[in-house]
Amino acid sequence: MEVSAGILKEADVLLAAFLTGALLLVVYDLLRIIRRLIPHKIWLVGAEDLVFWIGSAAVVFAMLYRENSGYIRGFVIGGVVVGMLFYNAVFSSWVVKSGVFLLQKIMFVVSRPLAWTARLLKKPMGFAGKKLKKFFRFCKKQLKKLWRAVRIGICKL
């Protein structure tokens, strides 16, 4: 028994919808990883979500336009939703946890030389800062004396 070309085309569209839904949640998981690494304010989370869902709508529309000539079919929207649910149930928590773990380790390794350099330069920079502060205090006193002399000279005229 042979499967018709129309059924195969609809199966391709369903597979594309399923993969689109999974891909959308991969992108959202990247957003979640960034949120765990860098604290966000509530309004910024809302703005990010708004931009994500507007972008998601554009991606789904482009997929519908490319795969199904722009026709909105129930099974296509269902395929996107099932793709999202499948990815969320199977991969999402693992991707977020491992992504956060790996990025924290990378940030730790990258920041170590910077911390060591800062620790080494702390005393010399503190010494230089104290000397610079004394110099600026001296300059300020000299400028005040000069201004006072100029003011007295102007008043005597």
Side-chain angles (χ1 to χ4, degrees), residues 75-103:
F75 76 93
V76 175
I77 303 301
V80 171
V81 170
V82 169
M84 287 177 157
L85 291 174
F86 176 77
Y87 174 81
N88 191 42
V90 176
F91 299 110
S92 183
S93 64
W94 180 79
V95 168
V96 172
K97 286 178 185 174
S98 62
V100 168
F101 177 78
L102 286 174
L103 286 174

Side-chain angles (χ1 to χ4, degrees), residues 50-124:
L50 181 66
V51 169
F52 171 78
W53 286 110
I54 289 171
S56 296
V59 167
V60 170
F61 176 76
M63 185 270 306
L64 282 171
Y65 187 76
R66 186 184 64 247
E67 298 292 333
N68 204 24
S69 300
Y71 292 114
I72 298 175
R73 312 264 316 260
F75 76 93
V76 175
I77 303 301
V80 171
V81 170
V82 169
M84 287 177 157
L85 291 174
F86 176 77
Y87 174 81
N88 191 42
V90 176
F91 299 110
S92 183
S93 64
W94 180 79
V95 168
V96 172
K97 286 178 185 174
S98 62
V100 168
F101 177 78
L102 286 174
L103 286 174
Q104 283 177 337
K105 293 300 176 190
I106 290 170
M107 287 174 23
F108 177 78
V109 168
V110 168
S111 69
R112 281 297 100 195
L114 296 174
W116 293 333
T117 305
R119 197 173 302 137
L120 285 174
L121 294 177
K122 186 176 182 179
K123 284 188 180 181

